[in-house]
């Protein structure tokens, strides 16, 4: 009994001391830090309004989700100046760090891609990539703005682009002199050179390697806040574009626009030459609408579209003339229309020389159309050599059956699936086999076929 009374007095105190010790030990134990989360998106292909809207959404969604940073994979030949400025504004005003990786090997940040890369907080390039050649409006024949629109326009466009590049590079602490030379002299450098020249911070073969190298680096985001990057072994969250952004970006491809205009031209010309077909006209109309939507996001020459329409009309005209010349001329016009479809002299675009309807699109379609035109000419020539199957000449020589007695004055026969009035120089009995020897008006001259 004494021992029990002693426990009642001291037991609760001992329990409280034990619990306090456990809590103190737990508070002193190291707490595992959560794994960093980095949002990821891609800009592959032309810098257009769809891509601009997508990247702006990526920044907003990553910020709303509380992610540590945004990683953008870049591979572009350039694009719209308006879309480029919108992306740059978004990156510079981003409250979370934006990282740009030009990759994988073989990718490039051409023309407008230079401005986007410079606008990032941290940038890296994979080995075998390049960046540069941001001189505005380089044309098909190597023309510059001075050749296209005069010296004053050239200086105005170039100076504006140079100031744009220099301001971005200065704000992000990158090589201002190189940024200006990329615009003025179309300078392009490899990944190793870009790192040496302080155009980008790292050379990284993979995204994971880039994130590992950038870990711990301090960057300044919008508002002047300094942020320490936590990106090593980060969990990547893919941010997919919306359906409208995906469709608009997919249509902003010179090859796709060329095929859509080609399909629209052929469909509409076939419908106009053979009214009532409905299907060719419907396909042509839908293709034309899609082509117009796509051309609103690309610098398309109206004259090139007219050439393609005329070429399609000449190919259809070959059906009726079968000379071979119209079909050949139509194929040439379609090829020229595709070659000159994209206007790279448009001052609202920063693109490199690869931005056009590629030969991998142009040559196969031209060869296919040339083959189709040749086949049309061949079949039409064959048709012209066939004996006439309608009219007076078409009935002469046809066999039939006398439906009633045929005399020099009147009679009735069944020929070529129809009932005809008929006469004969000699009487022919009903049911006899007859052959047509001539025709006058709606009356056939027939003879009996000996059995």
């Amino acid at each position: 009994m004494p021992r029990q009374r002693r426990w009642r007095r001291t037991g609760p105190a001992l329990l409280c001391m034990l619990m306090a010790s456990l809590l103190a030990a737990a508070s002193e134990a190291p707490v595992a830090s959560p794994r960093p989360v980095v949002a990821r998106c891609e800009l592959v292909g032309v810098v257009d309004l769809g891509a601009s809207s997508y990247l702006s959404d990526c920044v907003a969604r990553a910020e709303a989700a509380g992610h540590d940073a945004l990683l953008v994979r870049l591979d572009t030949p350039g694009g719209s100046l308006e879309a480029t400025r919108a992306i740059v504004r978004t990156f510079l005003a981003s409250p979370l760090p934006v990282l740009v990786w030009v990759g994988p090997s073989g990718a490039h940040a051409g023309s407008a891609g230079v401005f986007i890369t410079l606008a990032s907080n941290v940038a890296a390039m994979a080995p075998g990539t390049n960046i540069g050649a941001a001189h505005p409006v380089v044309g098909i024949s190597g023309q510059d703005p001075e050749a296209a629109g005069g010296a004053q326009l050239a200086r105005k466009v170039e100076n504006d682009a140079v100031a744009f590049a220099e301001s971005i590079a200065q704000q992000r602490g990158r090589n201002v002199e190189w940024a200006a030379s990329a615009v003025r002299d179309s300078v392009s450098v490899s990944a190793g050179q870009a790192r040496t020249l302080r155009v980008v911070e790292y050379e990284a073969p993979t995204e994971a390697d880039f994130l590992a190298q950038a870990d711990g680096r301090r960057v300044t985001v919008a508002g002047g806040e300094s942020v320490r990057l936590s990106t090593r072994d980060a969990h990547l969250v893919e941010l997919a574009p919306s359906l409208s952004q995906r469709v608009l970006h997919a249509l902003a491809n010179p090859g796709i626009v060329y095929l859509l205009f080609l399909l629209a031209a052929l469909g509409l010309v076939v419908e106009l030459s053979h009214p009532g077909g409905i299907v060719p006209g419907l396909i042509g109309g839908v293709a034309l609408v899609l082509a117009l939507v796509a051309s609103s996001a690309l610098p398309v020459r109206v004259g090139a579209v007219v050439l393609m329409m005329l070429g399609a009309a000449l190919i259809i005209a070959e059906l009726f003339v079968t000379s071979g010349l119209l079909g050949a001329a139509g194929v040439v016009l379609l090829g020229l229309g595709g070659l000159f479809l994209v206007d790279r002299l448009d001052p609202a675009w920063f693109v490199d020389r690869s931005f056009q309807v590629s030969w991998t699109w142009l040559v196969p379609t031209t060869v296919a159309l040339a083959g189709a035109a040749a086949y049309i000419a061949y079949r039409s020539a064959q048709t012209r050599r066939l004996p006439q199957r309608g009219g007076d000449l078409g009935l002469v020589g046809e066999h039939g059956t006398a439906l009633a007695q045929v005399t020099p004055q009147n009679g009735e026969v069944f020929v070529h699936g129809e009932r005809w009035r008929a006469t004969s120089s000699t009487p022919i009995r009903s049911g006899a086999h007859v052959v047509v020897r001539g025709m006058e008006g709606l009356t056939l001259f027939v003879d009996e076929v000996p059995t």
Side-chain angles (χ1 to χ4, degrees), residues 248-266:
L248 185 59
H249 185 60
L251 291 178
N253 182 309
I256 298 295
V257 176
Y258 169 66
L259 291 181
L260 287 173
F261 272 121
L262 187 62
L263 187 61
L266 292 174

Side-chain angles (χ1 to χ4, degrees), residues 183-253:
V183 177
R184 282 202 177 96
D185 306 317
S186 295
V187 174
S188 181
V189 294
S190 65
Q193 292 172 316
R195 182 181 181 184
T196 302
L197 293 170
R198 294 188 300 107
V199 178
V200 299
E201 283 70 34
Y202 304 108
E203 184 177 359
T206 63
E207 295 177 2
D209 185 65
F210 174 33
L211 294 176
Q213 293 187 59
D215 185 68
R217 186 185 183 94
R218 283 202 168 273
V219 297
T220 302
V221 295
E225 181 183 358
S226 179
V227 176
R228 183 179 181 276
L229 293 178
S230 178
T231 54
R232 185 182 297 274
D233 299 325
H235 172 64
L236 294 180
V237 177
E238 294 287 340
L239 301 181
S242 66
L243 180 60
S244 60
Q245 293 166 349
R246 194 189 304 272
V247 170
L248 185 59
H249 185 60
L251 291 178
N253 182 309

